[in-house]
Each structure stands twice: as structure tokens, then as C-alpha cells.
């Protein structure tokens, strides 16, 4: 396939990996074509999806404005890398097929793209009480990842220099965070626009809903990338314990109490902080009582 030509210094290609996505793809594409600053190219990568013909029908409905690429199932990292290889624009915007953008997203983000060292720009996909940091460096990003892949636009030079997404199957669910860390480690600036610029609405059964698998990917990422960046082993282990604590909390919220207990065991044994002890104890409380507490808390008046 021939490369897609770039129009200007802020031209961008949209890359949408699609797997079992025929039911949501049109909404994602409609949000792309509603952008105040139009895309130079839009690429959908069918990652060996069982509903591939339905995906092709959705793409065909856009009358040649969308390029469809088909590949054997290789995972989201390989799908996004495939799309990036055919993009010739200076910027690449990622969008998952079950998410969508607000109309001003790309215009607001590319307004921050003027300086050569800006390598990545992101924004909120939900309304959050805590605003995103306007700038991120490696240390801050290592501590906490708040970058949503569907809200990212990355400079192609930064993407290519980093080698794109790591296609290691053990990283599925954390391959995006892995790339953001490598971009930051290379010295590129990571910036955020203020406020919400899109909608994060993962489909049922998507990777992000598979909590334990995602936790394993995050732990693998911390160890693999921490070693590659030459981090002290104690710093890597602290990150692993933090990941296990966070995912233990998610599992507790999902009421998978045995899995939450397994996830929290290492933090409890190695770093028994009060918050970890409290989470651990909560895993022994009957789900009905936890649900009652949640309902009571939700009824409290907001002050």
C-alpha cells in the first residue's frame, strides 16, 4: 500500500484498530469526520476480526474517505504499528473503535504542537475532579499513567524514533503505557489540553475490562521497561507493589474478592501501609455488606 501524503506540518492520520467492532466503529468514525480540524487520512485496521465483513461494510459506507487494512490477528500494538507504517503525516492520532472524540479535540491539541520538542499531546476522556498535569516528564509518568490512548496524538518522528508499540504479547493491555514512557525517556515533551476532549466507552469484554490480565501486563511492563531504562531494582519493585494495590482496589470494586485478596497479598506482606491493610480486610467482608456501604455512600449529599 502506498504511503498517505501529508498536507502540512500539523496534518494528522487517524489510526483505528478494529476487532469485533462493527457495532461501534461508525460512531468512532463519525466523531473523526466531525472534527473542526479535519484529518488528512483515516485508517481502520481489521485485526483479523471475526466480524471483518461487517467492519468492511461500515468502512465502505464512508465512500472512500476511510482506508481499510486487513491483517491476521496480532493484537492492538501490531494493528496500530501497521497503520503508522502507512501514515506519512507529521502527526498520528489513535482512536479505539469503541471510543469517540468531541468536535474540537484535534484543533485544541494541535494548537499545542508548535514547538519541535512536543512529542505527544493528550487529554481527558471523562469528566474528572483532578485535572491532568499540563506537562509530564518520565518520573511523573512512571508514578502514574493518566494517558488514554484514544485521546493521544503523537508526533510521527517521536513514534518512529521510539520504535512504535512493543508487540510483546505479554504487554497487551499495557503496550500504550510502555510507549508513552519510552517517548518521555527519549526527552520529548508530553503535554495535555485542559478538560474533556472525548469519550472513553470500552465495549464489554474489551482488554481494559479484564482486570487480572491487565494487571499482569502492567507488572510485566514495569519490570521490562524499568530494567531497560536502568532503574534501581527497589524503584521497580515499588512500582510493582503500587500496581498490585491499584488493581486489588479495582478487583474489590468489581466484587471479585478472592482475586482482590491474591492481588493484595504481596503489598500487604512487603509494604503493609494502612490503606493496603484496609483493602485487605475489606476482601473478607460479604459482598452484600460492601454493596450496602456503596449505596449509602452514594446517597450522601455533595458538599
Amino acid at each position: 500500500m502506498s504511503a498517505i501524503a501529508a498536507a502540512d506540518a500539523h496534518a494528522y492520520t487517524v489510526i483505528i484498530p478494529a476487532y469485533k467492532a462493527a457495532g461501534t466503529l461508525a460512531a468512532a468514525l463519525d466523531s473523526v469526520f466531525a472534527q473542526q480540524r479535519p484529518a488528512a487520512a483515516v485508517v481502520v485496521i481489521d485485526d483479523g476480526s471475526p466480524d471483518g465483513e461487517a467492519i468492511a461494510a461500515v468502512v465502505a459506507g464512508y465512500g472512500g474517505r476511510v482506508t481499510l487494512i486487513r491483517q491476521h490477528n496480532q493484537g492492538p500494538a501490531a494493528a496500530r504499528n501497521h497503520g503508522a507504517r502507512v501514515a506519512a503525516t507529521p502527526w498520528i492520532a489513535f482512536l479505539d473503535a469503541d471510543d469517540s472524540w468531541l468536535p474540537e479535540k484535534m484543533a485544541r491539541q494541535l494548537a499545542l504542537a508548535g514547538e519541535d520538542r512536543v512529542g505527544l499531546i493528550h487529554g481527558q476522556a471523562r469528566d474528572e475532579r483532578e485535572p491532568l498535569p499540563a506537562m509530564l516528564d518520565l518520573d511523573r509518568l512512571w508514578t502514574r499513567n493518566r494517558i488514554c490512548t484514544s485521546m493521544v496524538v503523537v508526533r510521527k518522528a517521536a513514534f518512529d524514533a521510539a520504535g512504535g508499540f512493543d508487540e510483546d504479547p505479554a504487554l497487551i493491555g499495557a503496550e500504550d503505557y510502555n510507549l508513552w514512557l519510552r517517548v518521555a525517556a527519549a526527552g520529548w515533551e508530553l503535554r495535555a489540553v485542559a478538560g474533556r476532549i472525548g469519550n472513553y466507552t470500552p465495549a464489554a469484554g474489551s482488554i481494559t475490562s479484564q482486570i487480572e490480565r491487565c494487571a499482569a501486563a502492567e507488572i510485566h511492563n514495569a519490570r521490562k521497561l524499568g530494567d531497560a531504562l536502568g532503574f534501581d531494582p527497589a524503584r521497580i519493585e515499588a512500582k510493582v507493589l503500587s500496581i498490585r494495590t491499584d488493581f486489588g482496589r479495582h478487583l474489590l470494586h468489581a466484587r471479585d474478592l478472592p482475586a482482590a485478596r491474591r492481588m493484595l497479598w504481596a503489598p500487604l506482606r512487603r509494604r503493609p501501609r494502612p490503606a493496603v491493610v484496609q483493602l485487605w480486610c475489606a476482601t473478607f467482608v460479604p459482598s452484600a455488606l460492601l454493596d450496602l456501604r456503596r449505596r449509602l455512600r452514594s446517597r450522601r449529599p455533595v458538599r
Side-chain angles (χ1 to χ4, degrees), residues 65-301:
R65 293 185 293 167
V66 180
T67 298
L68 177 65
I69 298 174
R70 284 175 157 166
Q71 65 177 35
H72 295 299
N73 181 247
Q74 300 171 60
R80 294 186 187 109
N81 284 342
H82 197 159
R85 283 194 295 272
V86 303
T89 51
W91 292 88
I92 301 169
F94 298 109
L95 176 60
D96 287 348
D98 49 7
D99 297 332
S100 60
W101 293 343
L102 298 183
E104 67 276 11
K105 173 195 180 282
M106 291 304 306
R108 293 186 60 208
Q109 288 183 302
L110 291 173
L112 302 179
E115 297 182 20
D116 291 343
R117 293 309 301 169
V118 176
L120 182 151
I121 307 164
H122 67 113
Q124 289 180 356
R126 292 170 172 166
D127 291 322
E128 300 180 39
R129 292 181 180 179
E130 182 184 353
L132 293 172
M135 297 274 290
L136 282 173
D137 58 16
L138 178 61
D139 288 340
R140 196 166 190 177
L141 184 58
W142 175 263
T143 300
R144 183 184 180 190
N145 177 32
R146 295 181 64 197
I147 299 178
C148 176
T149 305
S150 287
M151 302 302 124
V152 164
V153 55
V154 62
R155 191 182 294 272
K156 193 170 190 298
F159 181 90
D160 291 343
F165 290 97
D166 188 330
E167 297 180 18
D168 179 354
L171 279 176
I172 292 178
E175 74 282 347
D176 48 359
Y177 186 27
N178 176 279
L179 177 58
W180 316 149
L181 286 165
R182 287 186 282 118
V183 169
W188 295 93
E189 292 184 6
L190 281 62
R191 296 190 176 183
V193 295
R196 185 167 67 90
I197 56 172
N199 302 294
Y200 173 66
T201 50
S206 67
I207 288 170
T208 49
S209 70
Q210 300 170 15
I211 300 175
E212 287 188 282
R213 180 179 177 181
C214 211
E218 291 276 4
I219 290 168
H220 179 62
N221 176 51
R223 289 179 171 148
K224 180 176 183 177
L225 196 55
D227 286 342
L229 296 176
F231 287 173
D232 183 89
R235 185 180 187 188
I236 298 171
E237 188 59 21
K239 177 66 171 176
V240 169
L241 295 179
S242 177
I243 291 167
R244 295 186 71 89
T245 300
D246 287 343
F247 279 95
R249 185 179 292 107
H250 293 322
L251 288 163
L252 178 62
H253 189 269
R255 298 298 183 256
D256 190 339
L257 304 185
R261 206 172 298 130
R262 290 193 300 271
M263 191 67 66
L264 291 165
W265 172 241
L268 180 75
R269 183 165 54 90
R270 299 175 192 171
R271 194 172 55 175
R273 296 179 177 177
V276 175
V277 174
Q278 183 178 14
L279 289 170
W280 170 263
C281 292
T283 67
F284 294 94
V285 177
S287 294
L289 289 179
L290 292 172
D291 290 341
L292 176 60
R293 178 175 179 268
R294 181 185 293 173
R295 289 195 297 271
L296 292 173
R297 292 184 67 182
S298 69
R299 292 173 185 172
R300 289 178 182 174

